[in-house]
Amino acid sequence: MRVMITGGAGFLGSHLTDRFLADGHSVVGLDNFITGNPDNIAHLMGHERYEFVRHNISTYTYVAGPLDGILHFASPASPVDYLEHPIATLKVGALGTHNALGLAKAKGARFFLASTSEVYGDPLVHPQTEEYWGNVNPIGPRGVYDEAKRFAEAMTMAYHRYHGVDTRIVRIFNTYGPRMRPRDGRVVSNFIVQALTGEPLTIYGDGSQTRSFCFVSDEVEGIYRLFMKGDADPTNIGNPNEFTVRQLAELVVELTGTSSPIVSRPLPTDDPKVRKPDITRARTLLGWEPAVPLREGVLKTIEHFRRVLG
Ligand code: UDP
């Protein structure tokens, strides 16, 4: 297959590229480096089945030659990033998704949307199944990301139903691992970088809010299987083991051996209180479930940040 991956120099996009190349496929990577990082694809330069195009998918997009798949992974995805780039976030979810779908239709390619657990907002159903419609504040600061992704899902289903495009939607839950940017503002990268640089670990609020953290190799395997053998209905891919943010901070302190203190900072607006995927659908449809425990994944991520921070 020849596939195009938008956001191809991002955290997930670059790992996904490696996965497709490892299976013998060809990949065209697109990125405009708003939050993507050239270092993530440096090892691919000169690879005979890899091409890179620096381009903003929110503008008109044409790619020469056949495409069997288009995977739309371009978007700022950390709360800090999408607060810094609110309009670009809305545009890539809306215009970028439309352009990518139009290209998929023109090429007869399968379309794969990277959606998010944020479509569930601050959820009133726990754990979150795909049937849950969510509890999102459209005009809050996180609305730029949540609503863009909700629009992207609606647009994807419209192309599926109206134009008959073969589509997939993955709802990605918190994912961590090597190639995260040290200052992307997410909790796992923040805590590890703070621990390694001797800064205080910043817990927002009282730290009782929960997240369920999936190591990147598990996430990418689930996404790859969904692309290859899933169907059009949205599918949660994430790790159902739930932890409080405070538990995560304590684990990072233990595993780094840091003497950094843990401090409290204000809770951001509309910060979801709980989050945990119900992955029954992924288990039955794809035979997939995560394999890497948090302790092991965090250790690997610590190694990554030790290298990056030198
Ligand atoms: N968080 C925190 N300290 C940080 C960064 C994040 O306590 O330095 C909290 C944040 O308030 C949220 C959780 O960790 O409750 C996960 O935040 P993240 O930015 O990783 O992503 P989210 O799941 O909110 O999209």
Side-chain angles (χ1 to χ4, degrees), residues 79 118 142 174 185-187 190-191 202-204 209 211 245 268 271 275:
E118 282 284 322
R142 299 176 83 105
N174 295 65
R186 287 168 164 139
V187 68
N190 266 14
F191 285 173
T202 52
I203 289 187
Y204 301 160
Q209 70 271 37
R211 293 295 186 271
V245 163
D271 197 278
R275 185 181 292 151

Side-chain angles (χ1 to χ4, degrees), residues 243-274:
F243 295 86
T244 66
V245 163
R246 182 167 296 278
Q247 283 176 314
L248 178 72
E250 284 163 358
L251 182 67
V252 169
V253 167
E254 180 201 327
L255 296 181
T256 56
T258 186
S259 49
S260 294
I262 295 178
V263 298
S264 285
R265 293 282 178 269
L267 192 65
T269 308
D270 296 337
D271 197 278
K273 284 179 270 310
V274 291

